[in-house]
C-alpha cells in the first residue's frame, strides 16, 4: 500500500506524524498484555485459566467495539469462521505461554509471526521466496534456538512450545487477513473477538465449566472475583479494542511496512512493564535470542526491503 503524501502545512486534518503516533500508541497498549495476563493469573481469588482469560477479554473487547460496527460491511462468513479459529488458537497459546514462561519469551516468540508468514506465503499465495527473506529467517531462527536452548527446562518446556505455536498461528492469521483486505478492519476485529468469546464459551462448558459460570457467580455475590473481572474488562477495552481502533486510523496514512516497524515497540516494552511492575526478569538467553529476533525483523522491514524494491 503506497504511503499517502504528506499534507501541506496549511492543510486541514491530522498530519502523517499523528497517524504514526497512533500506530505507536497501539503498540504501547498491546505491550501491556504480559503484565495483565501475569496479574490475572496470580489473582488469589481466581486463578483464571488461559482459556478463560482469552474468552472473557475477547468478549469485553467485542462489547466495547460493538457500537462501531453499525453500518459497516461484514466479512464473508466462510472466511470469518476460519479467521476466528486461527485467532482463537493464537490467543490461547499466547496466554498459556505467558502463564508458564516469562513475558519476554512469550512475546518474542509470538513476534516470529512475520517470519512464519514469509515461510508460508508461497503455500498460501504462491509468492516467491526471496534471498533477503532467507537471511532474516536464519537470524530469527538463531534467536529462537538461543531462547529455547537457554530456557527449555522444567515447567517451561510446554509454555515455550505454546509461545512458538502462537507465533506460527499469528503468521497464518496475518496471511489469512489478506483474504479479508477488502473488508472493514473494525468489523473483522469485532467478529473475530465475538467469535473467540463464543468458541471459548463452548470450550469452557466442556473443559472448565466452573470458569464459564464465573461472572454469574460473582454477580450473585458467591465469589470474590469481581476485581479480576473488572481487570478483564479493562484488558478487553485497553489492550485489544482501543489499539485496533488506533491502528485502523493510523493505517489511513501509514503504509503497512512502516506500521509493522513502528509496532515493534510492543515486544520491546512488554517485558519492561513486567520487570518494573511485577519484578520478573528475563534470562540472558532470552535477551540475546530476543535481540536476534528483533534484528531479523528490523532488517526485514528496512534494509532487506530496500534491496528488494531497488533491484
Amino acid at each position: 500500500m503506497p504511503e499517502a503524501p504528506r499534507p501541506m502545512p496549511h492543510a486541514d486534518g491530522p498530519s502523517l506524524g499523528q497517524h504514526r503516533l497512533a500506530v505507536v500508541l497501539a503498540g504501547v497498549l498491546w505491550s501491556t498484555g504480559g503484565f495483565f495476563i501475569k496479574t490475572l493469573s496470580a489473582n488469589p481469588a481466581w486463578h483464571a485459566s488461559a482459556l478463560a482469560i482469552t474468552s472473557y477479554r475477547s468478549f469485553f473487547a467485542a462489547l466495547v467495539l460493538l457500537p462501531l460496527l453499525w453500518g459497516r460491511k461484514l466479512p464473508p462468513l466462510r472466511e470469518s469462521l476460519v479467521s476466528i479459529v486461527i485467532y482463537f488458537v493464537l490467543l490461547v497459546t499466547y496466554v498459556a505461554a505467558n502463564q508458564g514462561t516469562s513475558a519476554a519469551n512469550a512475546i518474542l516468540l509470538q513476534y516470529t509471526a512475520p517470519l512464519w508468514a514469509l515461510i508460508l506465503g508461497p503455500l498460501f499465495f504462491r509468492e516467491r521466496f526471496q534471498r533477503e527473506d532467507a537471511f532474516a529467517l536464519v537470524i530469527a531462527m538463531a534467536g529462537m534456538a538461543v531462547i529455547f536452548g537457554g530456557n527449555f527446562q522444567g515447567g517451561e518446556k510446554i509454555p515455550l512450545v505454546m509461545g512458538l505455536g502462537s507465533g506460527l498461528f499469528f503468521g497464518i492469521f496475518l496471511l489469512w487477513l489478506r483474504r479479508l483486505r477488502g473488508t472493514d478492519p473494525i468489523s473483522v476485529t469485532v467478529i473475530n473477538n465475538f467469535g473467540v468469546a463464543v468458541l471459548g464459551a463452548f470450550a469452557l462448558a466442556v473443559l472448565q465449566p466452573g470458569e464459564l459460570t464465573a461472572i454469574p457467580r460473582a454477580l450473585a455475590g458467591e465469589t470474590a472475583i469481581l476485581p479480576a473481572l473488572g481487570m478483564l474488562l479493562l484488558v478487553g477495552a485497553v489492550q485489544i479494542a482501543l489499539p485496533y481502533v488506533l491502528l485502523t486510523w493510523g493505517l489511513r496514512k501509514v503504509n503497512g511496512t512502516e506500521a509493522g516497524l513502528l509496532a515493534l515497540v510492543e515486544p520491546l516494552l512488554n517485558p519492561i512493564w513486567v520487570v518494573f511492575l511485577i519484578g520478573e526478569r528475563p534470562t540472558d538467553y532470552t535477551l540475546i535470542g530476543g535481540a536476534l529476533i528483533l534484528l531479523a525483523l528490523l532488517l526485514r522491514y528496512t534494509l532487506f526491503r530496500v534491496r528488494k524494491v531497488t533491484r
Side-chain angles (χ1 to χ4, degrees):
M1 182 175 67
E3 184 174 347
R6 293 175 180 270
M8 298 299 291
H10 63 276
D12 295 328
S15 66
L16 176 60
Q18 289 172 308
H19 284 81
R20 285 172 172 158
L21 179 60
V23 176
V24 172
L25 287 176
V28 171
L29 292 175
W30 276 324
S31 73
T32 61
F35 163 72
F36 279 124
I37 292 170
K38 294 284 185 184
T39 304
L40 282 165
S41 301
N43 188 294
W46 184 36
H47 296 284
S49 66
L51 187 55
I53 291 175
T54 299
S55 303
Y56 281 125
R57 75 171 185 170
S58 285
F59 173 71
F60 288 127
L63 282 184
V64 170
L65 289 170
L66 186 60
L68 301 179
L69 191 61
W70 182 260
R72 296 178 183 272
K73 179 183 177 182
L74 297 179
L77 178 60
R78 187 179 73 86
E79 279 77 3
S80 291
L81 291 176
V82 176
S83 177
I84 288 168
V85 172
I86 298 171
Y87 189 54
F88 175 78
V89 175
L90 82 86
L91 290 181
V92 171
T93 51
Y94 173 67
V95 175
N98 266 283
Q99 290 182 323
T101 186
S102 70
N105 286 339
I107 192 63
L108 289 167
L109 290 173
Q110 189 185 61
Y111 255 77
T112 60
L115 305 168
W116 287 113
L118 290 177
I119 296 173
L120 299 174
L123 298 177
F124 276 78
F125 294 99
R126 299 187 180 180
E127 297 172 344
R128 216 171 113 200
F129 192 80
Q130 304 287 345
R131 183 180 61 186
E132 290 83 357
D133 297 337
F135 290 146
L137 285 171
V138 168
I139 297 171
M141 286 180 178
M144 286 187 278
V146 172
I147 290 176
F148 267 78
N151 299 286
F152 199 73
Q153 55 190 347
E156 289 198 58
K157 292 180 179 179
I158 293 178
L160 284 171
V161 173
M162 288 286 188
L164 190 61
S166 177
L168 171 61
F169 276 90
F170 194 10
I172 296 172
F173 184 68
L174 293 175
L175 290 172
W176 192 259
L177 286 180
R178 295 188 192 179
R179 297 174 66 100
L180 300 172
R181 66 179 65 183
T183 308
D184 187 280
I186 293 294
S187 67
V188 172
T189 303
V190 176
I191 296 300
N192 277 341
N193 280 290
F194 260 126
V196 165
V198 172
L199 188 58
F202 278 110
L204 286 172
V206 174
L207 301 173
Q208 301 163 356
E211 303 269 20
L212 182 61
T213 59
I215 289 181
R217 288 187 290 114
L219 295 177
E222 296 179 12
T223 63
I225 64 171
L226 280 178
L229 293 175
M231 180 170 285
L232 279 168
L233 173 59
L234 182 65
V235 172
V238 174
Q239 202 256 321
I240 297 181
L242 182 55
Y244 274 105
V245 173
L246 288 169
L247 180 67
T248 300
W249 184 77
L251 288 175
R252 291 179 180 178
K253 289 189 177 181
V254 179
N255 65 51
T257 298
E258 184 179 5
L261 188 60
L262 293 174
L264 289 179
V265 68
E266 180 187 1
L268 290 173
L269 289 180
N270 185 304
I272 294 176
W273 299 130
V274 177
V275 168
F276 283 103
L277 299 177
I278 297 179
E280 177 189 87
R281 297 185 178 277
T283 66
D284 291 340
Y285 292 105
T286 298
L287 295 175
I288 295 170
L292 289 171
I293 291 173
L294 292 176
L295 174 62
L297 292 171
L298 285 170
L299 291 174
R300 169 67 185 138
Y301 283 125
T302 55
L303 180 61
F304 291 164
R305 177 173 174 80
V306 171
R307 286 182 179 180
K308 289 170 69 172
V309 171
T310 57
R311 219 167 36 193

